[in-house]
Structures are given as structure tokens and as C-alpha cells.
Amino acid sequence: MPIAEQLIRIQCPLCGNSTPVEIVQKGQFGLDCCVSICPNDGLVYLNPRWSKERYHYFYQHEYDHYYRSPVTHDPNSETNYASIKKIYQRLDLNHLSLQGESVLDVGAGMGYSLIWLKNNIPSFTRFSAIESSEYCLNHMKQHGGIEIIANDLDKDFESSAFDFIVMRHVLEHFMDPIRALKKIASLMQPDSLLYIAVPDMMHPKGDLQNYWFRTVHTFYFSEHTLLATALRAGLNPIVIGSENSELWGVFKLSSSSVPVEKDNNVMAKQLAVILNYHQ
């Protein structure tokens, strides 16, 4: 039986504010989706939202029904490898080569990114995944050659560091993105690369309430709020980009404390995008 959908309130992880401005109460599929914006730093996030337990159950048993399209079940479909090819292209265009032996995909889904890297990057010999979906876990286990180190990043697990870590459209799902990135940072070495991609809240697409805003997306980042989140986790950006409503960046461990540049207009800019948005 699913866990009760009791909504809980949180504070803004960037500033601790507990009185955000409410935007909508329902999102995609008519599910509870209380989107709010922090008046201090412009971070958009769900408040209130489901409990950690309710989300974990959803990802294990319900997420695939809502979001896993039939094509993902076909290992021969090139569509399944489009995301990792785009990541490789972005790294290559910015003269960032994939080196080392180990790769971790956080929110690995069916494992297609790891499969592509296994077949195309000879230096990689260790392929690891963190994934909640039981269906996807079974698929990766059947494929072979992929190490499942955890089904939840928040759980305790032991692992050596990785040379390359992928977090594609996963950071926006966490209950505490700063804590999540700190955990990722603990799995990195000085030369490790971390790739992050999230929906770009400054360039949304589709109907906001019936498509863009989703119960599973607990946070909605702009470039400013993504950088502020990463810096608080001890990560420095190498490159940041935005393309087709996707905000992405490559990060390394920070060797020193870098102050977050204050921008008092972030909230106004973000709210203007939301209020003036036309599909």
C-alpha cells in the first residue's frame, strides 16, 4: 500500500526562509504540487511537499508508470543513448576529455548511459549506478557489468571515489540538494568531473501547471540558484550552459571557499519569467 500523501513544510535550503511566495498548488497529472518561490534568493521549490518516505515509495513503485516511455524498454533504440551522446558532445566542445577508469550515474534509469560509455570510452573499467526503480535495477542487473552501489543517495553505503559522475535531471528530485551534492563531493577526487543537468527555470517549456511543474521535481533551478547550491556543497563550476530549456554544467571540487555573489534581483527576474510566461 502506498504511504499517505501527507504534505510537510520545509525551509529554503539556501537561506532558511520559511515563508515563500506560493505560485500553484497542483501540477502535472493533477498531483499535489505546491510550487513556491523564496523572496530572498529566488529559489523555486515545493513547499509543502510529500514526505521522504512517500517519495521513495513513488520512485520504487509508481514513477515508471508516469514517466518511463515504452521506447526505454528497447535496448536497440538510439533514442536511449541521445542523452549521454549530448553530454559527451558538450564536454568535447569545452575541451573536457573523459579520463580515468570509473564512472557513476546517479539516477541511472535503465543504465543506457553506462552501457554507451562502456562501449565507447575504452579507459573506463568500472561502471556504477544509483537508482531507485526496481524495474530499472533488474534491467541493469540482467545486462551485467554495472555495479549497483545504492538505491538511494541518502542511504549509507561504502564506495571508492569516481573519475566521472553524471547527475542528469536528478538534482531537482532530491529532498535536500545541498546535502545530496555534498555526498557526491565525497565521492570525487581533485581531478574528478561532475556533470549536472536540470530543467532551466528561467526558460521553461510547455504548459506550466500541466507539464513543467511536477510533484517529482522538488526544486527548480536558475543558473544563479544552481551555482549557489553547488558552491555551498564545495563544488566550483568549470562551464555552465543552457540549451532547449535545460540548464547544465560541469563541476570540480573547490580548492577554496568561493563566496556566492549576491543578486537582489533574482526573485524579481524569476517571478517575471513565471508570470509573463506564454507557452
Side-chain angles (χ1 to χ4, degrees), residues 95-112:
H95 309 291
L96 297 170
S97 59
L98 290 180
Q99 299 178 346
E101 300 177 349
S102 57
V103 55
L104 169 65
D105 192 353
V106 183
M110 300 284 277
Y112 291 123

Side-chain angles (χ1 to χ4, degrees), residues 212-228:
W212 186 258
F213 290 138
R214 307 178 182 187
T215 299
V216 292
H217 290 176
T218 48
F219 291 90
Y220 297 82
F221 296 99
S222 65
E223 180 177 334
H224 181 88
T225 56
L226 177 61
L227 289 177

Side-chain angles (χ1 to χ4, degrees), residues 52 56 59-60 106-107 129-134 137 140-141 148-157 174:
K52 169 66 176 178
H56 189 64
Y59 286 120
Q60 282 190 313
V106 183
I130 295 177
E131 173 57 47
S132 296
S133 166
E134 293 181 350
L137 289 173
M140 285 188 282
K141 290 175 182 176
I148 311 298
I149 65 172
N151 66 359
D152 189 339
L153 184 64
D154 289 334
K155 292 184 178 179
D156 293 330
F157 58 85
F174 283 107

Side-chain angles (χ1 to χ4, degrees), residues 72-272:
T72 61
H73 304 291
D74 180 6
N76 297 316
S77 173
E78 285 300 313
T79 302
N80 293 321
Y81 306 101
S83 297
I84 187 61
K85 289 181 179 180
K86 174 63 72 173
I87 293 172
Y88 182 81
Q89 179 186 54
R90 286 171 173 170
L91 292 172
D92 186 56
L93 288 174
N94 287 278
H95 309 291
L96 297 170
S97 59
L98 290 180
Q99 299 178 346
E101 300 177 349
S102 57
V103 55
L104 169 65
D105 192 353
V106 183
M110 300 284 277
Y112 291 123
S113 291
L114 293 171
I115 293 171
W116 188 90
L117 290 170
K118 185 177 181 180
N119 293 332
N120 290 275
I121 308 297
S123 67
F124 285 137
T125 58
R126 178 186 172 207
F127 304 88
S128 304
I130 295 177
E131 173 57 47
S132 296
S133 166
E134 293 181 350
Y135 180 86
C136 292
L137 289 173
N138 289 331
H139 178 268
M140 285 188 282
K141 290 175 182 176
Q142 291 172 8
H143 187 275
I146 298 177
E147 169 197 23
I148 311 298
I149 65 172
N151 66 359
D152 189 339
L153 184 64
D154 289 334
K155 292 184 178 179
D156 293 330
F157 58 85
E158 294 184 3
S159 175
S160 56
F162 295 90
D163 299 302
F164 181 48
I165 300 178
V166 177
M167 296 184 74
R168 181 188 174 275
H169 288 261
V170 64
L171 185 63
E172 67 271 20
H173 292 258
F174 283 107
M175 308 299 282
D176 185 338
I178 296 176
R179 179 183 176 187
L181 287 182
K182 285 182 176 179
K183 185 70 169 286
I184 292 299
S186 72
L187 299 173
M188 297 173 65
Q189 306 175 93
D191 293 332
S192 300
L193 295 180
L194 167 63
Y195 176 90
I196 298 175
V198 295
D200 187 351
M201 193 57 232
M202 293 300 288
H203 300 91
K205 68 177 180 180
D207 184 280
L208 287 181
Q209 190 161 348
N210 296 313
Y211 175 77
W212 186 258
F213 290 138
R214 307 178 182 187
T215 299
V216 292
H217 290 176
T218 48
F219 291 90
Y220 297 82
F221 296 99
S222 65
E223 180 177 334
H224 181 88
T225 56
L226 177 61
L227 289 177
T229 300
L231 289 171
R232 281 170 169 77
L235 298 164
N236 275 346
I238 300 174
V239 59
I240 295 287
S242 179
E243 179 184 1
N244 192 28
S245 298
E246 181 180 66
L247 177 65
W248 64 276
V250 181
F251 298 81
K252 296 187 72 172
L253 289 175
S254 173
S255 58
S256 60
S257 177
V258 179
V260 179
E261 183 179 349
K262 181 68 175 177
D263 185 348
N264 295 323
N265 295 320
V266 173
M267 192 270 195
K269 293 175 183 176
Q270 181 63 88
L271 196 57

